[in-house]
Amino acid sequence: MEKTLLLSRSELMCLGIKGMGFSRAKIILCKPKPNFRIWVKFEDGICGEVDLNYLVNQGVFKDTWETQEKFNQVRIHPVTHTLTWEEGDSEVDLDPYVLREKLTAST
């Protein structure tokens, strides 16, 4: 009888299985740019500028990115290694895998 072992993405990364397209998307540097663009660098060396203008006034970003000045308050979360903005008593962040995909798809 065959058994199937299901592993999460983090378990696969811990095992060092990267051949299936899994690799940790850890942001190590970021710099906000005009017009709601941001330059990011990942731990593996992938870097570039991502246009986030399409998210302005959308969902959770409506208040968070009310102005370019608020957008410029971006930081890298020390645990999740994603881009984070403070919004009141909480934080709004962007999935680093989505940002990485946007960079690699545009090259």
Side-chain angles (χ1 to χ4, degrees):
M1 176 181 229
E2 240 180 279
K3 291 186 179 183
T4 303
L5 177 63
L6 299 175
L7 297 174
S8 70
R9 179 182 296 186
S10 60
E11 290 168 323
L12 287 170
M13 288 188 296
C14 287
L15 292 172
I17 300 172
K18 296 181 182 178
M20 298 173 66
F22 297 111
S23 63
R24 183 167 163 80
K26 181 179 177 182
I27 297 173
I28 59 171
L29 294 170
C30 72
K31 183 175 180 174
K33 300 287 201 167
N35 301 316
F36 299 95
R37 297 177 68 84
I38 192 152
W39 179 88
V40 293
K41 181 175 183 179
F42 290 88
E43 183 178 50
D44 62 3
I46 292 175
C47 62
E49 201 169 296
V50 180
D51 185 358
L52 300 175
N53 193 36
Y54 70 98
L55 293 173
V56 175
N57 294 320
Q58 302 296 315
V60 296
F61 301 106
K62 185 173 184 172
D63 294 328
T64 306
W65 298 350
E66 198 169 58
T67 65
Q68 181 73 44
E69 290 75 27
K70 286 180 89 174
F71 177 80
N72 291 348
Q73 295 174 9
V74 63
R75 67 182 181 90
I76 299 171
H77 192 280
V79 176
T80 61
H81 305 285
T82 189
L83 302 180
T84 304
W85 291 263
E86 289 187 23
E87 180 56 44
D89 293 336
S90 61
E91 294 178 333
V92 175
D93 62 11
L94 285 172
D95 185 335
Y97 292 96
V98 172
L99 293 169
R100 191 167 192 259
E101 177 63 29
K102 286 193 168 293
L103 281 177
T104 56
S106 66
T107 57

